[in-house]
C-alpha cells in the first residue's frame, strides 16, 4: 500500500524576523551537554554568557524605545527575564547612587533567581558543578543593566543550585566597582573568541614548526662539524655564524675560554664584569668543581649591568667540565627558544670533550699497562727505554715508585671496582693538569705511580705526593689514603725491587699517611738484603709462643706490644691508641711479659723486640691497623 501526501501550509500571522521559536528547557539542556562535549566546560561559560548578554541588550533596547525611566527599566528587566522562561521568579533589590549632575556613582543590585532552567538542566545532564552554572542568566542581567545604564555593569552569581547550593543568588555592580575590589573571577564578556584562539594557536604552531626546523638544521650542522673532527673554536664560530649571538665556552674556573662573535677586548671586559658579579653574588658553586654532582645552573640567566648571559653546563659522563653561554648586550635579550640552541651547542662541546677525554685516558691507560709490565719485570732495560719513548717520559732519569692504598666507603665488589677506576682517572687528570708527565696504573690491587726526578727537582717527592694527597682527600672525603714511597731508583730494570720498597713503606703508614722507605732506617736495610728466614728465626726465638700471627688472640697481643713499644712504654698514650681501660692495658702488659719472660721496660729488650716487630710488619708477616 502506498501513501502520497501533497499539501502546503503557512501561518501568515507569524513575523519573519521576530517570530517565537518554542523550545523546552530540556532542549537547552541537550544543547548545553553538546557544547560541553565539543568545546569543553571552561569555554561554555563565556559562550553562554555572550548568548545571554545579547538577549539582555535586545530586550533593554526594546524597553528603552518605550520611553521608560531608569527606575522603570530596572523593574522591568526581571519581568522580561521571567517571560523568557529562563527563570520562574525573582527576588530583586537594587540601590543606585547619583552625583549632583545625575551621573551614576554606584550600583548595587542583588537577588535570587527562582527555578533557574540552567541550574536544573545542568544537574540533570551533567551533575553537580564545582562552580555556579547560570551563565546565560548572568549574561542576560549584565547585558540588560549595561544597556539601561549606558555603561558596563556585570552580574556575578555567588551561590547556585547547579553547584549544590540552596539557591541561585547573584550581585550586579559596575565594572569599575568590581575592578576596584580586584575581582578576577568575573565573566570575561570581552574574552577572545574561539576563532581568534584557533588563529593564534595556528600562528603559534607555525612559529614552533619554524623553530623546530631551524633547530634540526642547527643540530645537523653541528653534528656534521663534530664528525668532521672540527675543534671547539670552529664549533663556536659556526654557532655564531648561524645564530648571530656571541657564544662563550669556558672551563670550570671561568678563565680559560673559547669565544666567537666578540673581539678580544670585548671578551676581556665582559669576563672581568662577570667575575666581579660572581664574587659580589657569592656564586662560588659556578666556579668550583663539584665532582660528579650536577650543579643547579641548567639554563641559568646571569644578568649584570652591562651584559646578560644564558648559561648551561657542559657535561661529560655526568661530570661538569665547563659552561657554554650566549652573551646579550645593549637592547638584545634572550628569546624563549635560545636555550634550545644553547643546549645543542653544549652537547656538541660535550662530544668534543668526550673524544678528547677518551683519547687522553686511552693513552694514559696504555702508559699504565706499560708501568705494570715494568713492575713485573717483563721487559729488560733496553726494551723499557725504547718503549718509554712513546710515553713522553724520560725513563733514563732517576725515579721513585709510589704505591697508594685506599679504604673507601664502598660495600660491594662492584662499588670497589668503580671507585678504583675513578681514582685512576683522577690521578691521570691531576698530574696532566699540573704539567707532570708520569706513569700511573693499577698493580697488585693498588694505585702505582712512577715519578721521575725531573718532575720533582724544584721540590721533593714527598712534597709532590702530599699535594696529590690533599687533592684526592678533597675530592673523595669519605676515603682514607695511605702512601708508601720507594728509595730513588737509578736503573729502570730495578723497578720491581723499588715497588717492593714502596709496599714495605706502606705497611708502616699507620699514624703517618705518607711513609718513605728511607725513613725506615735499619729496618729497610735488613729487609732489603733479603734476610727473610733469618728474621723469622730470630722472631720465633724472641717471641716464643706469641709468634703466631694467624691466631687472632696472639695477633692482638703482638699489636698491643708494638703500640706499647712505639709509645716508649707510656701507658696513657697506649691506652688511648688501643681504646682500652688502664686496668685492662696493665693486665695485657703483665700477661705479655709473662709469656715472653722479658721486662718490657728494659730499653735493650724493648728496642730488640720493636725491631723484630717492625721487620715482621715490613715482611707482611704482621699487620697493624
Amino acid at each position: 500500500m502506498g501513501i502520497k501526501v501533497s499539501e502546503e501550509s503557512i501561518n501568515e500571522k507569524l513575523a519573519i524576523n521576530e517570530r517565537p521559536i518554542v523550545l523546552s528547557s530540556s532542549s537547552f539542556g541537550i544543547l548545553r551537554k553538546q557544547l560541553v562535549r565539543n568545546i569543553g566546560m571552561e569555554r561554555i561559560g563565556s559562550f553562554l554568557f555572550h548568548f545571554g548578554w545579547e538577549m539582555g541588550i535586545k530586550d533593554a533596547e526594546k524597553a528603552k524605545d518605550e520611553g521608560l525611566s531608569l527606575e522603570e527599566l530596572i523593574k522591568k528587566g526581571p519581568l522580561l527575564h521571567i517571560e523568557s522562561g529562563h527563570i520562574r521568579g525573582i527576588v530583586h533589590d537594587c540601590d543606585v547612587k547619583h552625583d549632583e549632575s545625575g551621573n551614576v556613582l554606584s550600583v548595587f543590585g542583588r537577588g535570587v533567581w527562582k527555578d533557574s532552567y540552567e541550574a536544573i538542566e545542568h544537574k540533570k545532564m551533567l551533575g553537580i558543578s564545582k562552580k555556579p552554572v547560570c551563565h546565560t542568566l548572568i549574561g542576560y542581567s549584565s547585558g540588560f543593566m549595561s544597556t539601561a545604564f549606558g555603561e558596563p555593569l556585570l552580574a556575578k552569581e555567588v551561590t547556585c543550585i547547579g553547584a549544590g547550593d540552596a539557591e541561585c543568588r547573584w550581585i550586579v555592580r559596575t565594572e569599575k566597582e568590581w575592578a576596584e575590589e580586584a575581582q578576577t573571577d568575573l565573566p570575561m564578556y570581552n574574552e577572545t573568541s574561539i576563532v581568534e584562539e584557533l588563529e593564534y594557536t595556528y600562528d603559534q604552531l607555525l612559529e614552533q614548526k619554524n623553530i623546530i626546523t631551524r633547530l634540526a638544521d642547527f643540530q645537523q650542522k653541528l653534528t656534521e662539524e663534530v664528525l668532521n673532527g672540527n675543534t671547539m673554536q670552529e664549533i663556536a664560530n659556526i654557532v655564531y655564524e648561524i645564530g648571530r649571538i656571541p657564544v662563550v665556552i669556558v672551563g670550570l674556573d671561568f678563565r680559560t675560554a673559547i669565544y666567537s662573535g666578540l673581539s678580544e677586548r670585548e671578551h676581556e671586559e665582559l669576563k672581568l664584569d662577570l667575575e666581579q658579579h660572581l664574587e659580589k653574588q657569592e656564586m662560588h658553586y659556578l666556579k668550583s668543581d663539584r665532582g660528579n654532582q650536577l650543579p643547579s645552573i641548567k639554563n641559568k640567566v646571569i644578568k649584570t649591568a652591562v651584559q646578560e648571559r644564558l648559561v648551561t653546563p657542559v657535561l661529560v659522563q655526568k661530570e661538569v667540565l665547563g659552561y657554554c653561554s650566549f652573551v646579550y648586550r645593549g637592547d638584545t635579550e634572550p628569546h624563549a627558544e635560545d636555550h634550545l640552541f644553547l643546549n645543542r651547542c653544549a652537547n656538541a662541546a660535550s662530544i668534543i670533550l668526550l673524544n678528547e677525554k677518551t683519547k687522553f685516558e686511552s693513552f694514559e691507560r696504555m702508559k699504565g699497562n706499560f708501568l705494570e709490565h715494568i713492575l713485573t719485570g717483563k721487559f729488560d732495560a733496553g726494551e723499557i727505554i725504547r718503549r718509554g719513548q712513546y710515553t713522553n717520559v724520560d725513563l733514563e732519569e732517576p725515579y721513585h715508585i709510589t704505591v697508594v692504598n685506599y679504604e673507601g666507603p664502598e660495600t660491594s665488589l662492584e662499588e670497589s671496582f668503580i671507585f678504583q677506576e675513578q681514582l685512576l682517572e683522577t690521578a691521570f687528570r691531576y698530574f696532566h693538569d699540573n704539567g707532570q708527565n708520569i706513569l700511573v696504573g693499577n698493580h697488585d690491587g693498588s694505585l702505582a705511580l712512577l715519578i721521575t726526578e725531573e718532575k720533582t727537582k724544584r721540590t721533593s717527592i714527598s712534597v709532590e705526593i702530599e699535594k696529590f694527597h690533599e687533592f684526592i682527600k678533597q675530592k673523595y672525603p669519605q676515603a682514607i689514603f695511605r702512601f708508601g714511597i720507594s728509595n730513588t731508583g737509578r736503573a729502570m730494570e730495578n723497578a720491581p725491587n723499588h715497588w717492593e720498597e714502596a709496599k714495605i713503606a706502606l705497611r708502616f703508614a699507620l699514624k703517618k699517611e705518607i711513609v718513605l722507605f728511607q725513613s725506615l732506617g735499619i729496618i729497610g736495610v735488613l729487609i732489603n738484603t733479603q734476610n727473610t728466614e733469618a728474621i723469622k728465626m730470630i722472631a720465633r726465638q724472641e717471641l716464643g709462643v706469641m709468634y703466631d700471627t694467624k691466631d687472632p688472640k696472639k695477633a692482638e697481643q703482638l699489636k698491643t706490644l708494638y703500640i706499647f713499644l712505639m709509645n716508649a712504654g707510656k701507658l696513657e698514650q697506649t691506652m688511648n691508641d688501643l681504646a682500652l681501660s688502664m686496668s685492662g692495658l696493665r693486665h695485657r702488659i703483665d700477661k705479655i711479659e709473662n709469656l715472653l719472660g722479658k721486662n718490657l721496660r728494659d730499653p735493650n729488650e724493648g728496642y730488640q723486640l720493636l725491631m723484630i716487630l717492625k721487620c715482621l710488619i715490613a715482611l707482611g708477616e704482621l699487620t697493624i691497623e
Side-chain angles (χ1 to χ4, degrees):
M1 180 181 71
I3 298 175
K4 181 178 180 182
V5 176
S6 178
E7 186 177 352
E8 180 177 343
S9 300
I10 187 168
N11 187 347
E12 298 290 348
K13 295 180 181 181
L14 288 177
I16 295 175
N17 295 323
E18 291 295 333
R19 62 181 179 271
I21 299 175
V22 180
L23 288 173
S24 65
S25 60
S26 61
S27 299
F28 280 96
I30 294 169
L31 175 63
R32 188 185 195 89
K33 184 176 181 181
Q34 291 301 314
L35 286 172
V36 170
R37 179 179 297 174
N38 286 276
I39 65 175
M41 184 69 77
E42 294 300 321
R43 287 294 304 180
I44 68 166
S46 174
F47 177 84
L48 295 175
F49 174 84
H50 284 87
F51 175 58
W53 174 275
E54 294 297 332
M55 287 192 295
I57 290 175
K58 192 89 172 173
D59 285 353
E61 287 175 344
K62 285 182 180 180
K64 288 181 77 173
D65 289 342
E66 297 174 10
L68 300 178
S69 66
L70 179 60
E71 183 177 351
E72 290 172 329
L73 284 172
I74 294 173
K75 289 180 179 180
K76 186 164 185 178
L79 298 177
L80 293 173
H81 209 173
I82 293 171
E83 290 177 7
S84 70
H86 294 170
I87 53 178
R88 289 206 313 127
I90 189 169
V91 176
H92 182 205
D93 292 301
C94 186
D95 298 325
V96 182
K97 292 183 180 180
H98 296 86
D99 60 16
E100 295 177 356
S101 303
N103 298 317
V104 175
L105 291 176
S106 68
V107 177
F108 182 47
R110 65 272 187 203
V112 176
W113 288 310
K114 301 287 187 179
D115 297 326
S116 160
Y117 89 97
E118 279 194 281
I120 294 170
E121 291 301 324
H122 188 97
K123 284 178 64 177
K124 186 192 301 181
M125 295 291 182
L126 300 166
I128 296 294
S129 172
K130 294 180 180 178
K131 297 186 292 187
V133 299
C134 298
H135 308 304
T136 306
L137 303 191
I138 61 171
Y140 183 93
S141 300
S142 300
F144 189 95
M145 294 290 276
S146 295
T147 305
F149 279 83
E151 66 173 282
L153 271 74
L154 295 175
K156 177 184 177 183
E157 191 175 17
V158 292
T159 64
C160 181
I161 293 173
D165 298 317
E167 58 188 7
C168 295
R169 183 174 295 276
W170 49 270
I171 297 172
V172 172
R173 305 190 74 176
T174 65
E175 183 182 16
K176 182 179 179 181
E177 288 176 298
W178 284 124
E180 289 173 354
E181 293 186 9
Q183 291 288 333
T184 58
D185 57 346
L186 292 173
M188 298 300 293
Y189 63 89
N190 57 349
E191 194 174 57
T192 306
S193 70
I194 295 176
V195 173
E196 290 174 323
E197 279 194 4
L198 289 174
E199 288 177 352
Y200 176 75
T201 302
Y202 174 78
D203 291 339
Q204 289 289 96
L205 289 173
L206 185 60
E207 184 179 349
Q208 290 297 318
K209 177 188 174 185
N210 292 335
I211 291 172
I212 292 171
T213 301
R214 286 172 48 216
L215 192 62
D217 293 341
F218 182 73
Q219 177 76 62
Q220 183 178 358
K221 181 67 175 174
L222 286 184
T223 302
E224 289 174 356
E225 297 303 324
V226 170
L227 292 176
N228 288 335
N230 284 349
T231 64
M232 196 84 77
Q233 182 61 63
E234 290 169 324
I235 293 297
N237 292 341
I238 290 166
V239 171
Y240 175 69
E241 181 184 334
I242 295 174
R244 309 310 297 176
I245 304 173
V247 59
V248 180
I249 304 171
V250 298
L252 283 171
D253 57 3
F254 267 64
R255 290 182 183 140
T256 55
I258 291 169
Y259 54 90
S260 186
L262 299 168
S263 67
E264 184 177 351
R265 180 179 175 182
E266 288 173 327
H267 173 257
E268 288 300 320
E269 291 174 350
L270 293 174
K271 184 180 84 167
L272 179 61
D273 172 67
L274 179 63
E275 289 175 349
Q276 291 173 346
H277 175 76
L278 295 179
E279 289 295 336
K280 185 177 179 181
Q281 299 296 321
E282 296 183 352
M283 296 168 70
H284 301 301
Y285 62 90
L286 282 176
K287 299 164 55 178
S288 61
D289 184 2
R290 284 191 164 195
N292 292 331
Q293 297 180 2
L294 302 185
S296 56
I297 107 167
K298 184 81 170 175
N299 297 328
K300 182 175 182 66
V301 176
I302 303 176
K303 195 169 185 178
T304 74
V306 298
Q307 65 175 313
E308 187 172 350
R309 292 200 185 199
L310 183 60
V311 185
T312 197
V314 177
L315 303 172
V316 176
Q317 295 173 334
K318 297 184 180 180
E319 185 177 359
V320 179
L321 295 186
Y323 300 95
C324 187
S325 59
F326 283 158
V327 182
Y328 306 87
R329 295 167 296 162
D331 296 333
T332 60
E333 57 183 23
H335 291 91
E337 69 273 10
D338 283 358
H339 72 277
L340 298 173
F341 291 88
L342 180 62
N343 287 340
R344 295 328 186 262
C345 176
N347 289 342
S350 297
I351 294 172
I352 292 173
L353 289 178
L354 178 61
N355 288 338
E356 292 177 357
K357 184 174 184 282
T358 302
K359 288 180 184 177
F360 168 74
E361 290 181 357
S362 296
F363 181 58
E364 290 298 321
R365 287 182 185 279
M366 180 273 289
K367 289 162 61 177
N369 290 334
F370 178 51
L371 174 60
E372 188 169 13
H373 288 321
I374 292 174
L375 297 179
T376 53
K378 289 189 177 181
F379 298 139
D380 58 30
E383 184 69 10
I384 292 173
I385 300 302
R386 185 180 69 80
R387 296 197 179 202
Q389 295 174 355
Y390 301 106
T391 66
N392 298 322
V393 180
D394 186 357
L395 297 181
E396 294 185 287
E397 282 274 329
Y399 61 92
H400 289 276
I401 301 291
T402 299
V403 59
V404 185
N405 205 356
Y406 48 85
E407 297 172 21
E410 66 278 351
T411 56
S412 66
L413 187 62
E414 181 182 1
E415 288 177 340
S416 179
F417 176 77
I418 291 172
F419 182 76
Q420 187 178 26
E421 288 298 298
Q422 288 177 342
L423 182 61
L424 183 62
E425 291 176 11
T426 299
F428 291 159
R429 185 60 60 182
Y430 171 83
F431 288 104
H432 176 267
D433 292 346
N434 284 277
Q436 294 176 296
N437 191 20
I438 71 170
L439 297 183
V440 182
N442 283 321
H443 185 59
D444 285 349
S446 300
L447 186 68
L449 313 174
L450 188 153
I451 306 176
T452 62
E453 284 196 350
E454 178 189 9
K455 311 300 179 186
T456 60
K457 282 178 181 176
R458 287 176 292 181
T459 55
S460 66
I461 184 64
S462 58
V463 170
E464 293 300 327
I465 295 302
E466 282 173 7
K467 291 178 182 177
F468 177 56
H469 184 209
E470 286 301 316
F471 177 79
I472 58 177
K473 272 202 307 184
Q474 290 181 7
K475 193 169 181 66
Y476 307 107
Q478 294 180 321
I480 299 172
F481 300 95
R482 303 188 189 281
F483 299 78
I485 305 174
S486 73
N487 279 333
T488 302
R490 305 290 175 182
M492 199 55 64
E493 61 267 28
N494 293 330
N497 295 334
H498 293 301
W499 169 253
E500 292 300 323
E501 290 176 351
K503 288 202 298 181
I504 290 169
L506 179 66
R507 292 173 190 143
F508 288 90
L510 303 174
K511 291 187 177 182
K512 291 178 64 177
E513 294 166 322
I514 301 173
V515 177
L516 282 77
F517 183 78
Q518 67 181 32
S519 69
L520 302 183
I522 190 65
I523 300 298
V525 175
L526 289 172
I527 299 303
N528 211 27
T529 55
Q530 302 296 312
N531 295 320
T532 304
E533 291 305 318
I535 291 170
K536 289 181 180 180
M537 182 182 69
I538 294 172
R540 279 192 290 270
Q541 177 182 320
E542 295 297 322
L543 295 176
V545 295
M546 285 180 59
Y547 183 51
D548 185 359
T549 57
K550 293 181 180 179
D551 184 336
K553 292 180 94 177
K554 300 293 174 52
E556 189 65 28
Q557 289 172 344
L558 291 173
K559 177 182 177 180
T560 301
L561 175 60
Y562 178 76
I563 299 297
F564 178 74
L565 295 174
M566 284 294 291
N567 288 327
K570 296 177 181 177
L571 290 173
E572 188 172 349
Q573 183 62 47
T574 306
M575 176 186 72
N576 292 332
D577 289 344
L578 293 172
L580 291 173
S581 65
M582 183 61 74
S583 59
L585 177 61
R586 289 183 185 278
H587 175 73
R588 279 197 190 182
I589 297 300
D590 290 342
K591 187 171 183 179
I592 290 170
E593 286 184 328
N594 290 333
L595 288 171
L596 296 177
K598 297 179 185 294
N599 180 7
L600 298 184
R601 290 164 181 80
D602 184 323
N604 291 326
E605 289 190 345
Y607 179 74
Q608 185 176 2
L609 287 170
L610 181 59
M611 291 289 290
I612 291 170
L613 291 174
K614 283 187 173 182
C615 287
L616 292 177
I617 292 171
L619 291 172
E621 288 285 307
L622 177 62
T623 301
I624 305 294
E625 296 179 355

